[in-house]
Amino acid sequence: MPNLSRLRADTVAGITTASVVLPQAMAYATIAGLPVQAGLYCALVPMIIYALLGTSRPLSVSTTSTLSALTAAALAATPPGTAPMTAASTLAVLTGVILLASSVLRLGFLGDFISDPVMTGLKSGIGLTIAAGQLGTVIGVHAEGTKVFDRLLSAAGRLGEANVPTMLVAAAVVLLLVVLRRVPRVPGPLVAVTVVTLISFLAHLSSYGVATIGRVPSGLPPPLLPDLGLVRALAPMALGMALLSFVESISAARIFRHRDDPPLDADRELLALGLANALGGIFRAYPAAGGMTQSEMNDASGARSQRAEIVTALCTAVVLLLLAPALSPLPTAVLGGIVLTIAARLVDVHGLAAIWRASRPEFALACVTMLVAVGLGIMQSVLAAVVISILLLLHQVDNPPIYPLGRDPESGAYRDLRRHPSDETEPGLLIVRIESRLYFANARRVADRVRSLIEATTPRPRAVLLDLTGVPGMDLTAVSAAREFYGLVRQHGIDLWIALDSLQPLELLGRMGIGGWLSDRGRLHPDVAAAVTAYHARGS
């Protein structure tokens, strides 16, 4: 495509994306408990820095509903009297520093560290928490509390004080957004903000008790240095936010990557997000990440390069420089209505249903994460998500697939005897397949499970063939466990055969003198078929 055409496409995409990003950014700021301009600041410096350094073409970086909710939780943990904007910008700088350190340490693999079911539960819980936090805004009362049930009870207790015009504004905005979502290429949030702001100005809605956002400062954000005295209070929150910022961003980047796009570099993404947050924090932004909705809009609008994000940032600058005073009549109920629709999309009912159909245990983990977010708080749910993901990983590694093999009489292939009980078995020979890396955490448990299979086999086999072709690696503890296992089966008069072709285990067994010992005795072969042939040749 000619450069002029690419520039035109990026300009159109950037402006179109801005029509979604800017209203959402203002709404997200209310989730964080910050003035609306803080959301706009997130769509300025962070977006420009990522566009210059990031490796994803369509990824649009400002802030997200998840990070906004976490920011609110972080601000609530600061000492009384702390200026919210100072705390938020300090939080962004800390988040950026953690991401930069992760880039230096090449921790890009952490992008896969939270499992999809746990992430679905986490976002669903955050969605419910956000929705509960907006109840006071959309009915025109002040709802107290930081937990979901506290907010619900507080709002319910003040229903008698609800402001009917405020409720009508919020309901109209939600209805308008639902209808406009069905109309292609119409930016619902921008239409809602523009139309209701105009109505508020002409009809003086504030005189009917409808709260407005008030004065929005004009101009670009002046620098604000982080408050080092807040580092201790904010550092734990910043750690969780850095993880979620990266997970959300890399997930969106992977989803919208096209076949002809350059490959994503996870460590470079950490660098770009780290600088976007650190420099954004200095210019009054709170923590930022690549948002799914805005990245989808950027991609669907035809963005051809990161220039589209720079155009979006320029639109943000125009709003801050020229249009900020015109936003003062905007009712807060409009932003509350926008937030409610965003929160509803976060509660992924279809995703949870799909997890239920596929795996009941993983559905239970998703629900636990969601309930932690609702019952204990958002930051606790992030911690729970990480802990649950680690426990899930450890459980899977500690309980690898181990099963007996039989031979398909038609194809000659060896396969799971439990699923194909009519397959042929070798008289006196038990073939057991192991599918996992063997290391200190699972080696002896694997040996115990194989021993249980031997004991459950009747009559007792004369030989056991371990199919280790599905074992990509092992450590010294696994070698020690193998020696112990060999000694145990020999005590029962059982011969041990090995099928193994992975390079690392073969080299390790060779250095330990075991590989040569097995080979010399004809007990080590590259696959099951070769081992069975040798077993027959020996007349075992």
Side-chain angles (χ1 to χ4, degrees):
M1 181 182 292
N3 287 337
L4 184 60
S5 299
R6 292 177 65 90
L7 180 60
R8 185 184 300 116
D10 284 336
T11 301
V12 171
I15 294 173
T16 305
T17 304
S19 68
V20 172
V21 168
L22 301 186
Q24 283 192 350
M26 292 190 292
Y28 288 154
T30 65
I31 297 175
L34 296 168
V36 294
Q37 64 266 25
L40 296 175
Y41 295 159
C42 290
L44 192 61
V45 173
M47 190 168 289
I48 292 173
I49 297 299
Y50 180 83
L52 295 175
L53 297 175
T55 60
S56 171
R57 173 189 55 79
L59 190 65
S60 179
V61 172
S62 57
T63 191
T64 68
S65 54
T66 303
L67 292 185
S68 298
L70 285 170
T71 298
L75 298 186
T78 56
T82 303
M85 288 293 287
T86 301
S89 63
T90 302
L91 183 63
V93 172
L94 285 173
T95 301
V97 169
I98 292 170
L99 288 167
L100 287 171
S102 300
S103 175
V104 172
L105 296 173
R106 304 187 67 81
L107 299 180
F109 65 89
L110 291 177
D112 300 316
F113 205 67
I114 297 181
S115 70
D116 287 349
V118 171
M119 193 68 176
T120 299
L122 174 63
K123 286 197 169 188
S124 297
I126 289 175
L128 293 172
T129 304
I130 289 172
Q134 293 300 309
L135 285 179
T137 302
V138 298
I139 67 175
V141 301
H142 177 66
E144 299 176 344
T146 58
K147 304 292 191 300
V148 170
F149 296 112
D150 293 339
R151 291 288 185 98
L152 289 174
L153 292 173
S154 177
R158 298 189 176 186
L159 279 177
E161 306 169 22
N163 182 269
V164 174
T166 298
M167 295 172 65
L168 291 175
V169 168
V173 167
V174 171
L175 180 61
L176 180 63
L177 291 173
V178 170
V179 171
L180 291 182
R181 281 192 67 188
R182 303 177 182 273
V183 182
R185 296 186 178 277
V186 175
L190 181 63
V191 172
V193 167
T194 303
V195 170
V196 182
T197 299
L198 184 61
I199 293 173
S200 176
F201 174 74
L202 296 175
H204 303 286
L205 290 183
S206 59
S207 64
Y208 295 94
V210 177
T212 62
I213 64 173
R215 177 180 172 274
V216 178
S218 297
L220 300 178
L224 177 64
L225 293 178
D227 185 347
L228 298 181
L230 296 174
V231 170
R232 178 174 295 181
L234 295 176
M237 307 292 284
L239 189 62
M241 296 185 78
L243 177 61
L244 282 186
S245 172
F246 181 55
V247 169
E248 284 197 298
S249 301
I250 202 72
S251 298
R254 287 169 177 167
I255 287 172
F256 298 111
R257 180 179 177 270
H258 288 213
R259 193 173 294 176
D260 57 346
D261 285 346
L264 291 173
D265 184 336
D267 295 313
R268 177 69 177 269
E269 290 295 292
L270 284 170
L271 172 67
L273 290 170
L275 285 174
N277 276 280
L279 295 178
I282 292 174
F283 286 93
R284 298 176 183 259
Y286 64 95
M292 194 70 73
T293 302
Q294 62 204 50
S295 297
E296 180 181 16
M297 176 63 73
N298 200 34
D299 183 60
S301 302
R304 297 292 181 267
S305 73
Q306 284 90 344
R307 283 190 298 258
E309 288 90 85
I310 293 178
V311 172
T312 302
L314 291 176
C315 292
T316 305
V318 169
V319 170
L320 287 169
L321 289 169
L322 303 178
L323 301 179
L327 295 172
S328 59
L330 174 64
T332 57
V334 173
L335 300 180
I338 294 174
V339 170
L340 282 181
T341 61
I342 294 168
R345 292 201 298 270
L346 281 176
V347 182
D348 190 355
V349 176
H350 294 295
L352 290 169
I355 296 169
W356 166 264
R357 291 191 296 269
S359 172
R360 302 296 168 83
E362 293 197 76
F363 174 79
L365 295 176
C367 289
V368 168
T369 309
M370 179 173 63
L371 292 174
V372 170
V374 171
L376 299 180
I378 292 175
M379 195 58 223
Q380 289 84 349
S381 68
V382 174
L383 179 61
V386 173
V387 171
I388 289 172
S389 294
I390 292 173
L391 292 176
L392 181 62
L393 174 65
L394 291 176
H395 180 268
Q396 291 173 345
V397 171
D398 198 38
N399 295 274
I402 300 174
Y403 50 87
L405 295 180
R407 182 178 178 275
D408 179 10
E410 295 183 3
S411 68
Y414 288 88
R415 55 189 185 176
D416 190 346
L417 194 59
R418 299 169 304 178
R419 297 177 59 188
H420 306 279
S422 61
D423 281 359
E424 298 173 348
T425 58
E426 303 293 338
L429 176 65
L430 173 64
I431 308 174
V432 179
R433 180 171 173 82
I434 301 169
E435 295 179 354
S436 172
R437 181 178 297 275
L438 299 177
Y439 73 121
F440 65 90
N442 70 357
R444 289 186 170 84
R445 182 175 177 82
V446 166
D448 289 341
R449 290 176 60 190
V450 174
R451 189 173 68 249
S452 296
L453 281 175
I454 296 172
E455 293 172 352
T457 302
T458 53
R460 178 69 61 87
R462 298 189 303 272
V464 173
L465 168 56
L466 295 182
D467 177 12
L468 304 184
T469 56
V471 175
M474 59 176 58
D475 66 4
L476 292 176
T477 305
V479 174
S480 298
R483 281 175 168 163
E484 294 169 9
F485 176 78
Y486 175 73
L488 186 65
V489 296
R490 288 302 297 164
Q491 286 179 6
H492 291 84
I494 299 174
D495 202 6
L496 182 65
W497 295 67
I498 303 289
L500 176 63
D501 62 351
S502 300
L503 182 60
Q504 189 271 338
L506 284 171
E507 290 181 342
L508 180 60
L509 291 174
R511 289 194 296 270
M512 298 296 292
I514 298 174
W517 185 84
L518 288 170
S519 296
D520 292 343
R521 285 160 177 76
R523 298 297 191 268
L524 180 62
H525 299 273
D527 56 55
V528 172
V532 171
T533 300
Y535 173 79
H536 284 306
R538 284 183 172 262
S540 299

